[in-house]
Amino acid sequence: MGLKIYKRGKRIAVSRTTVPVDSDVAKEVSTMAKSQGFSVVKLASDSLKLAVELLRRGITPSKALEMFKLMEKVLVFDVVPVPLSYLELVAKKWKVCEDEEIEKFLRETGEKFGKVVASEFRSFSEFMAVVSQFFSMLPVARLSFSKSGNTWRIVFTTTGEMSVKCLGFFAEEAIKQFGCSVKTIYEGNTVTAEVTC
């Protein structure tokens, strides 16, 4: 059954469907729509379109929200995307990953990042579920995850052997903030972390 609406001289057909939602969600949608200058129908329709696009990509809306929250946490650290080949060039030219001051900085930053992220997720497994979903959307073939029992195996391949330790220092400290133990193995340009929680 459709409802016909006229807007600025144009006839628009709108299909009316009742979608049950929790009353507190309905109130919040109504309030948010008004504050943003949208109609409730427009906001609901746009939200459902977004949900459909996410589901087509294999991402539930709740996972998308968790990914967004993770990105908010990452951006607090003034992160900017740079090619890994640039990190390798810097590491090779100035041997920064061999510098004790750089290692200390990376470990301290990794610890701070880990604390922020650990406060958002209940467990390392929950965090990894979001991270793996996030990386599945990127054209990155250099990262893989697997889990056996209570141990995660995380493998990351960098563009070269010189920068591999820099990434490892940061990751080790971040992971420890979940109360997990980390065994890191460096082989050429590959970092393998065995994380037990």
Side-chain angles (χ1 to χ4, degrees):
M1 183 171 173
L3 173 69
K4 293 177 183 166
I5 299 174
Y6 292 88
K7 187 174 179 182
R8 293 188 186 157
K10 294 183 180 179
R11 188 171 143 188
I12 302 169
V14 177
S15 174
R16 288 276 176 146
T17 304
T18 301
V19 178
V21 296
D22 295 335
S23 62
D24 57 333
V25 173
K27 287 176 189 172
E28 193 168 357
V29 166
S30 179
T31 301
M32 292 301 294
K34 287 176 188 172
S35 72
Q36 299 294 319
F38 296 122
S39 71
V40 173
V41 173
K42 170 94 170 110
L43 182 57
S45 182
D46 287 351
S47 299
L48 289 171
K49 284 178 192 174
L50 175 60
V52 168
E53 287 302 317
L54 289 168
L55 291 168
R56 282 187 180 141
R57 289 165 173 78
I59 302 167
T60 65
S62 60
K63 282 289 180 212
L65 182 58
E66 290 174 8
M67 289 165 50
F68 180 75
K69 287 178 183 177
L70 177 60
M71 283 305 301
E72 285 181 317
K73 302 294 182 197
V74 168
L75 293 175
V76 167
F77 287 85
D78 295 328
V79 173
V80 295
V82 295
L84 288 173
S85 54
Y86 173 75
L87 178 59
E88 178 64 16
L89 177 64
V90 169
K92 188 175 184 180
K93 186 165 179 125
W94 292 294
K95 301 195 184 316
V96 295
C97 295
E98 305 301 321
D99 185 285
E100 288 179 17
E101 188 177 349
I102 299 287
E103 178 180 346
K104 182 180 178 207
F105 170 78
L106 289 169
R107 289 190 182 279
E108 287 173 355
T109 305
E111 180 181 356
K112 288 176 190 172
F113 176 74
K115 284 179 180 174
V116 167
V117 172
S119 71
E120 185 69 36
F121 297 94
R122 291 176 298 212
S123 67
F124 185 72
S125 291
E126 185 181 285
F127 170 67
M128 288 303 295
V130 174
V131 169
S132 60
Q133 189 91 48
F134 177 73
F135 278 103
S136 72
M137 295 179 8
L138 301 176
V140 177
R142 297 175 285 221
L143 186 63
S144 66
F145 311 94
S146 61
K147 186 178 181 192
S148 176
N150 63 345
T151 301
W152 283 88
R153 188 168 192 270
I154 305 165
V155 180
F156 186 78
T157 304
T158 64
T159 56
E161 295 181 19
M162 301 300 287
S163 60
V164 72
K165 284 187 179 176
C166 280
L167 295 168
F169 298 150
F170 176 87
E172 284 174 9
E173 298 307 316
I175 291 167
K176 288 177 186 176
Q177 303 316 303
F178 284 91
C180 304
S181 64
V182 186
K183 179 183 174 190
T184 310
I185 303 162
Y186 300 97
E187 294 179 54
N189 64 336
T190 303
V191 181
T192 303
E194 291 183 0
V195 180
T196 305
C197 299

